[in-house]
């Protein structure tokens, strides 16, 4: 997690102070800045030694050098400014810069932890610009520092300042978000044969007429709204409307109600193809330890490798522990930067890489899932063309890092995993990774991190086996070593107060991590040890524990990940045990589907007391994963409808009329809290890349220390507690564990569009016939090409259940890696022409009866 309040570091040794300063009496309404017009010279103003300043023509002018790295490398300021909690202040100043720059305006503590009362980014050009800000102080700061941070520019400039004023007693700011049209829809669009619902904000007590206009202005559909009263999450009076009968594909649709017009949207089957790719590209963008190449992401997003030990970096290849933690050093390079900061966390990386791997694994288990769009050459990764699915290449970048975080053999707590690694102190915004000068440090191992490593490495072992057996074997050794270490040290908890330089990620209940790790290890190995651990867990069979009504899967609540694996991936559970696990999934999904139907904005998330949490959008998505899995298992339309309603909420059908995904929708989030996607602070830097998910409404943001939320969101309705501002780390952060469920759901939705107009049709049919006998079976398989194009060469992939192993085979080349089986042609049946079929078969050996596979993929495409 990233803290903008720590963004401005002030090093006393770098300051040149002129004059003396007397403490000011706290008198709200009185002027808190001394000598703001510089008629008395320069005292009590100060500036950093690298920017000599003097009064010229009644203004204080500083010579700002070229080539500094951070905004706080050059500061003009005044200390001992008294700030009173709850008081509203009006700040104003006039400034100019011979080379335009963005001033980081701060009112904050002068020493650690640099608590911030005001943090804004204010553009200043060559003509004098008046900057005015009003804010309410969240805390008492008896001796605050007023700072104008003006470093970080490539060119030298002369910065001049005048008429500085800071007075209490200001009218408290009233932030009224721009919500645009009262007619709220999914701003990307709707699947032709899926549900199509919207919401309109109105005080009307009676139904209103709605009209859908096609792109050419013609009437496409019409009806009347349903009054729904006041929505408690937004305190808005609303109606809902349903235009599901409209199935004609097209672009530029709008909905008109009572003089309001929605944002435009499309009706198409291929809506989510781009989102699948973009949501996954997020992870390449945020790789540590490698250059991000322009030919994959474009010049705007290309950057040098970060944290490889090239100055000013200290590097991640030889990282010490924090004092008192250990006496060794580790190479913990690679992995993904966690969020808006440059930290790397095992518990956050664990759930993220697991969900990426599950996105791929779903293509092996779900009948309608497509693996082609995740395969080799399909995504934007530098490893494309290596014969490995691109999504697994991306996941491996994180898995390698997680494995490196394991405590070496022979050391105390050997086999456990360090909880996290990050900078010794917080860094500021903006900052590209290769410019980070901070020392990197390993933090103490934890049981939670160790079990994250065990779970993800076990999943890694089964998924990578067909592509890299050595790596798969390494993953399994790592997983079993981590499990043994966690059993030996079951209560080593991360310090919840360890939040300097990075988020703490404290977690003192690891029953969920034990269950998840046991489920993954059992699924991969079939060993009785892990089977018993699954069945004996207090979480096993408990829907309320793993899919609670007010929340669900999250980095600190991972039991549901284990349930989803056991329910979908072939394993050694008995039919009765498997039925029990699947009933937990459908019970959780029933709960979330009911929430979606009950809410006026359709989201499958209903926390008690409307308590929208930090990263609430990720919670919506994780609940959608449960729904999507239930749909995969049962085909129940209500589950898919709730998934589609959830994406409607995220892409614009919400109280703020905001698409929370960059690049998707007319009113998308573009200023998320991030250190190098920071255009709001530096026009030379980009906005977040398309497909980046904002955290979303956070009911407690205003009281969290987030200065932007404190200024704008005090008293907000829960679902309105969001602002698209880079300084709002409590509502607008982006993280790997929020984009991972987005990638899963985007992949699911793109698959759901298959067969829709403009979506790909199924072009193959598989008939799998098994004849069981006492210790195995004889199987014949027929693959028919029902499409219009020949398939050459062909490859059919599926998963075997139980402990089945192939023995005698005929009419195809077979490869079995664990439970994954692929069949490929011989020289004489290489081409599968339209309307023709190929037949092949094999025998299996098995200790007991095993159900037939339920999903087959021909060259990565789902077959009927």
């Amino acid at each position: 997690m990233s803290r903008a309040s720590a963004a401005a570091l002030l090093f006393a040794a770098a300051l040149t102070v002129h004059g003396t300063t007397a403490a000011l009496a706290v008198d709200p309404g009185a002027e808190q800045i001394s000598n703001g017009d510089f008629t008395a010279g320069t005292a009590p103003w100060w500036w950093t030694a690298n920017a000599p300043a003097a009064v010229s023509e009644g203004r204080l002018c500083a010579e700002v050098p070229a080539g500094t790295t951070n905004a706080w490398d050059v500061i003009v300021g005044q200390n001992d400014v008294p700030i009173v909690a709850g008081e509203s202040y009006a700040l104003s100043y006039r400034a100019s810069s011979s080379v335009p720059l963005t001033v980081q305006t701060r009112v904050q503590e002068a020493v650690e932890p640099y608590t911030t009362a005001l943090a804004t980014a204010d553009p200043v050009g060559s003509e004098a610009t008046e900057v005015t800000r009003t804010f309410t102080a969240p805390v008492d700061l008896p001796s605050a520092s007023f700072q104008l941070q003006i470093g970080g520019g490539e060119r030298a400039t002369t910065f001049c300042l005048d008429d500085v004023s800071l007075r209490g007693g200001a009218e408290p700011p009233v932030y009224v978000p721009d919500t645009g049209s009262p007619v709220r829809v999914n701003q990307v669009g709707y699947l032709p044969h899926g549900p199509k619902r919207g919401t309109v904000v109105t005080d009307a007590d009676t139904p209103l007429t709605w009209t859908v206009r096609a792109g050419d202005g013609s009437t496409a559909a019409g009806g009347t709204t349903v009054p729904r009263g006041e929505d408690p999450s937004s305190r808005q009076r609303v109606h809902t409307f349903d235009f599901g009968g409209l199935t004609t594909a097209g672009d530029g649709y709008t909905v008109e109600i009572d003089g309001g017009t929605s944002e435009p949207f499309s009706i198409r089957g291929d809506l989510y193809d781009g989102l699948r790719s973009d949501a996954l590209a997020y992870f390449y963008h945020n790789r540590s330890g490698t250059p991000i190449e322009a030919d994959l992401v474009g010049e705007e997003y290309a950057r040098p490798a970060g944290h490889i030990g090239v100055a000013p970096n200290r590097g991640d290849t030889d990282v010490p522990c924090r004092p008192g933690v250990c006496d060794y050093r580790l190479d913990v390079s690679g992995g993904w930067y966690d969020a808006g900061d440059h930290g790397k966390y095992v518990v956050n990386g664990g759930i993220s890489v697991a969900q990426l791997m599950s996105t791929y694994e779903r293509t092996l288990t779900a009948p309608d899932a497509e693996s082609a769009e995740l395969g080799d050459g399909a995504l934007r990764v530098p490893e494309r063309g290596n014969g490995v699915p691109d999504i697994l290449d991306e996941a491996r970048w994180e898995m390698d890092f997680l494995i490196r975080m394991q405590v070496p053999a022979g050391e105390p707590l050997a086999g456990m995993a360090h909880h996290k690694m990050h900078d010794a102190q917080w860094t500021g915004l903006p900052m590209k990774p290769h410019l980070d000068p901070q020392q990197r440090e390993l933090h103490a191992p934890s049981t939670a991190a160790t079990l994250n490593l065990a779970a993800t490495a076990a999943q890694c072992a089964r998924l990578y086996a067909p592509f890299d057996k050595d790596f798969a074997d390494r993953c399994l050794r790592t997983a079993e070593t981590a499990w043994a270490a966690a059993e030996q040290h079951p209560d080593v908890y991360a310090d919840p107060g360890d939040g300097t330089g990075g988020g703490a990620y404290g977690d003192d209940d690891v029953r969920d991590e034990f269950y998840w790790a046991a489920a993954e290890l059992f699924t991969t190995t079939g060993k009785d040890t892990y089977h018993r651990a699954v069945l004996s867990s207090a979480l096993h069979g408990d829907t309320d524990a793993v899919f609670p009504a007010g929340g669900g899967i999250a980095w600190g609540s991972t039991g549901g990940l284990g349930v989803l694996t056991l329910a979908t991936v072939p394993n050694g559970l008995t039919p009765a045990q498997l039925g029990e696990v699947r009933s937990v999934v459908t019970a959780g999904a029933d709960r979330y589907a009911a929430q979606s139907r009950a809410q006026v904005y359709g989201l499958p998330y209903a926390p008690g007391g409307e308590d929208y949490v930090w990263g609430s959008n990720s919670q919506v998505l994780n609940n959608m994963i449960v729904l999507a899995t239930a749909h995969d298992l049962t085909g129940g339309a209500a589950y898919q409808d709730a998934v589609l309603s959830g994406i409607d909420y995220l892409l614009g059908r919400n109280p703020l009329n905001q698409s929370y995904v960059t690049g998707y929708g007319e009113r998308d989030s573009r200023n998320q809290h991030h250190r190098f996607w920071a255009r709001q602070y530096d026009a030379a830097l980009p906005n977040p890349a398309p497909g980046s998910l904002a955290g979303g409404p956070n009911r407690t943001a205003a009281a969290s220390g987030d200065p932007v939320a404190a200024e704008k969101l005090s008293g907000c309705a829960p679902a309105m507690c969001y602002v698209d501002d880079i300084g709002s780390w409590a509502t607008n952060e982006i993280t790997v564990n929020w984009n991972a469920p987005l990638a899963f759901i985007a992949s699911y939705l793109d698959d759901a569009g298959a067969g829709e107009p403009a979506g790909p049709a199924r072009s193959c049919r598989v008939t799998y016939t098994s004849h069981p006998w006492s210790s195995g079976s004889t199987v014949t398989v027929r693959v028919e090409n029902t499409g219009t194009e020949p398939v050459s060469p062909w490859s059919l992939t599926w998963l075997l259940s139980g402990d089945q192993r192939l023995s005698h085979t005929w009419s195809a080349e077979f490869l079995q890696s664990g439970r994954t089986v692929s069949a490929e042609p011989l020289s004489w049946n290489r081409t599968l022409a339209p309307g023709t079929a190929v037949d092949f078969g094999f025998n299996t050996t098995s200790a007991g009866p095993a159900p037939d596979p339920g999903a087959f993929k021909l060259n990565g495409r789902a077959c009927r």
Side-chain angles (χ1 to χ4, degrees):
M1 295 285 176
S2 178
R3 291 284 304 271
S5 60
L9 305 181
L10 175 58
F11 299 98
L15 303 183
T16 302
V17 182
H18 294 256
T20 59
T21 303
L24 300 176
V26 178
D27 179 13
E31 179 61 68
Q32 306 299 311
I33 294 293
S34 295
N35 191 25
D37 59 4
F38 303 102
T39 55
T42 60
W45 292 89
W46 56 263
W47 46 88
T48 48
N50 58 353
V55 175
S56 174
E57 298 181 353
R59 301 182 299 166
L60 180 67
C61 294
E63 298 302 323
V64 181
T68 55
T69 301
N70 308 295
W72 64 85
D73 290 341
V74 183
I75 305 175
V76 174
Q78 184 173 133
N79 290 344
D80 295 327
V81 177
I83 297 295
V84 178
E87 181 64 33
S88 294
Y89 293 87
L91 169 69
S92 62
Y93 63 87
R94 288 171 58 83
S96 65
S97 177
S98 58
V99 175
L101 55 76
T102 299
V103 179
Q104 302 299 318
T105 305
R106 300 288 187 268
V107 177
Q108 64 173 55
E109 283 184 290
V111 296
E112 283 195 76
Y114 308 108
T115 303
T116 304
L118 174 70
T120 62
D122 301 301
V124 170
S126 57
E127 299 295 325
T129 301
E130 183 169 1
V131 176
T132 60
R133 294 287 181 178
T134 305
F135 64 96
T136 300
V139 294
D140 283 319
L141 300 175
S143 299
S145 178
F146 166 66
Q147 300 178 13
L148 301 180
Q149 299 173 6
I150 51 179
E154 295 181 358
R155 299 167 58 190
T157 185
T158 299
F159 176 80
C160 293
L161 175 68
D162 195 9
D163 296 333
V164 186
S165 175
L166 177 64
R167 290 181 178 272
E171 186 71 23
V174 178
Y175 172 66
V176 179
D178 173 15
T179 57
S181 169
V183 185
R184 312 289 162 76
V185 297
N186 180 329
Q187 295 169 23
V188 173
Y190 301 84
L191 297 181
H193 298 286
K196 301 174 189 69
R197 303 184 185 98
T199 304
V200 60
V201 179
T202 176
D203 289 328
D205 294 319
T206 58
L208 301 171
T209 299
W210 59 262
T211 303
V212 178
R213 301 286 184 194
D216 62 4
S218 62
T219 299
T224 56
T225 63
V226 178
R228 299 289 295 271
E230 182 175 283
D231 168 37
S233 75
S234 63
R235 302 175 197 150
Q236 297 169 335
R237 288 178 54 79
V238 301
H239 295 196
T240 57
F241 55 94
D242 188 328
F243 56 106
L246 177 60
T247 61
T248 304
D251 301 314
Y253 284 105
T254 57
V255 180
E256 298 175 356
I257 303 176
D258 197 26
T261 302
S262 74
E263 301 299 332
F265 59 90
S266 298
I267 297 178
R268 304 186 64 83
D270 58 355
L271 285 175
Y272 298 108
D273 180 59
L275 181 57
R276 182 197 319 231
S277 176
D278 285 342
L280 287 167
Y282 175 94
F283 296 91
Y284 173 63
H285 279 282
N286 284 280
R287 284 190 187 186
S288 174
T290 187
I292 305 305
E293 303 291 351
D295 62 344
L296 293 174
V297 300
E299 290 290 347
E300 184 179 17
Y301 292 101
R303 60 173 174 82
H307 298 100
I308 59 173
V310 176
N313 273 176
R314 304 293 182 90
D316 287 354
T317 58
D318 186 31
V319 178
C321 284
R322 293 191 69 206
V325 170
C326 74
D327 59 2
Y328 52 82
R329 305 168 77 96
L330 293 180
D331 175 357
V332 287
S333 55
W336 302 317
Y337 297 121
D338 173 65
D341 60 342
H342 297 144
K344 298 186 292 190
Y345 307 83
V346 171
V347 294
N348 228 31
I351 186 175
S352 303
V353 76
Q355 290 183 317
L356 255 65
M357 289 191 290
S358 294
T359 301
Y360 173 75
E361 193 158 35
R362 177 181 171 269
T363 70
L364 303 177
T365 62
D368 294 329
E370 301 274 352
S371 62
E373 281 78 7
L374 306 174
D376 190 25
L379 302 177
R380 284 163 280 174
V381 296
E383 298 87 355
R384 58 197 308 172
N386 64 353
V388 178
D390 286 347
I391 191 170
L392 293 185
D393 284 326
E394 190 56 68
R396 180 167 179 168
W397 194 260
E398 180 71 6
M399 276 308 313
D400 279 332
F401 159 73
L402 295 179
I403 293 170
R404 292 185 183 113
M405 291 288 280
Q406 193 163 38
V407 177
E411 299 289 349
L413 302 180
M416 295 193 75
H418 287 274
H419 196 69
K420 58 178 183 169
M421 67 83 58
H422 53 65
D423 291 336
Q425 300 292 331
W426 286 105
T427 58
L429 283 74
M431 176 182 285
K432 290 185 177 181
H434 69 287
L435 299 176
D436 177 8
Q438 285 284 323
Q439 175 64 57
R440 309 282 272 176
E441 292 180 334
L442 288 164
H443 291 244
S446 72
T447 305
T450 303
L451 291 166
N452 268 259
L453 177 59
T456 56
Q459 187 178 17
C460 162
R462 65 178 180 264
L463 289 180
Y464 288 84
F467 309 104
D468 188 335
K469 185 178 184 303
D470 289 344
F471 181 59
D473 290 347
R474 180 186 176 205
C475 283
L476 186 56
R477 289 194 302 271
T478 297
E480 296 205 280
T481 299
W483 173 266
E487 284 200 305
Q488 187 176 356
H489 306 285
D491 54 1
V492 179
Y493 303 129
D495 179 1
D498 182 13
T500 299
Y505 288 97
D507 184 359
D508 61 1
D509 182 355
V510 294
R511 292 175 300 169
D512 53 314
E513 284 88 355
F514 268 110
Y515 184 73
W516 174 32
E520 298 294 349
L521 280 159
F522 171 61
T523 299
T524 297
T525 70
K527 291 183 178 179
D528 187 59
T529 297
Y530 308 123
H531 190 194
R532 285 186 279 108
V534 166
L535 298 182
S536 64
S537 170
L539 276 64
H540 188 66
D542 188 344
T543 302
D544 291 335
V546 292
F547 304 130
I553 296 169
W555 68 263
S557 181
T558 57
L561 296 176
V563 175
L564 296 180
T565 290
L566 292 170
T568 59
V569 183
N571 55 62
L573 291 177
T574 67
Q577 291 168 345
L578 179 60
E580 180 183 13
V581 169
R582 289 182 170 177
S583 71
V584 171
V585 175
T586 54
D590 288 339
R591 168 177 287 164
Y592 299 144
Q595 292 175 351
S596 175
R597 290 191 297 271
Q599 299 208 79
V600 299
Y601 285 106
L603 69 164
Y605 175 60
E610 309 297 331
D611 189 16
Y612 282 58
V613 297
W614 191 332
S616 61
N617 285 342
S618 71
Q619 196 60 70
V620 174
L621 282 160
N622 282 321
N623 291 354
M624 290 162 65
I625 288 177
V626 179
L627 289 158
T629 304
H631 177 253
D632 284 340
L633 291 172
T634 69
Y639 300 136
Q640 186 171 88
D641 284 359
V643 176
L644 291 165
S645 291
I647 201 67
D648 292 347
Y649 168 84
L650 294 170
L651 295 177
R653 186 196 172 197
N654 55 58
L656 289 166
N657 198 21
Q658 179 87 25
S659 170
Y660 292 111
V661 181
T662 305
Y664 288 82
E666 294 294 316
R667 294 169 50 86
D668 58 321
S669 297
R670 300 182 182 183
N671 296 299
Q672 293 96 315
H673 182 77
H674 196 269
R675 273 166 173 69
F676 51 91
W677 291 338
R679 189 175 184 84
Q680 185 179 344
Y681 278 2
D682 184 344
L685 295 174
N687 292 114
S692 300
L693 177 72
N698 175 0
R699 186 174 188 176
T700 62
S704 68
D706 178 328
V708 176
E711 177 187 356
K712 297 183 176 181
L713 299 180
S714 179
C716 57
M720 305 287 283
C721 295
Y722 169 83
V723 57
D724 184 23
D725 188 295
I726 193 172
S728 183
W729 41 266
T731 75
N732 205 34
E733 194 171 32
I734 44 182
T735 81
V736 289
N737 66 307
W738 298 345
N739 245 72
L742 176 65
F744 184 104
I745 289 298
S747 188
Y748 168 86
L749 291 172
D750 195 28
D751 292 336
E756 296 273 12
R762 300 288 183 247
S763 59
C764 55
R765 180 185 295 113
V766 173
T767 304
Y768 187 97
T769 305
S770 61
H771 303 280
W773 29 276
S774 60
S775 58
S777 63
T778 298
V779 177
T780 59
V781 180
R782 164 164 284 205
V783 183
E784 300 176 69
N785 182 351
T786 60
T788 60
E789 299 292 332
V791 181
S792 180
W794 54 266
S795 177
L796 189 74
T797 303
W798 67 95
L799 295 183
L800 291 175
S801 58
D803 62 350
Q804 295 180 89
R805 303 294 302 178
L806 300 189
S807 55
H808 178 61
T809 67
W810 59 91
S811 298
E813 292 284 353
F814 291 85
L815 174 66
Q816 180 174 10
S817 297
R819 292 190 175 92
T820 304
V821 177
S822 61
E824 297 181 351
L826 302 175
S827 59
W828 54 269
N829 60 2
R830 179 178 177 84
T831 299
L832 191 56
T836 67
V838 62
D839 297 283
F840 54 85
F842 52 89
N843 290 336
T844 70
T845 59
S846 176
D852 291 345
F856 299 89
K857 307 301 156 66
L858 182 65
N859 291 0
R861 299 292 183 188
C863 294
R864 291 178 288 171

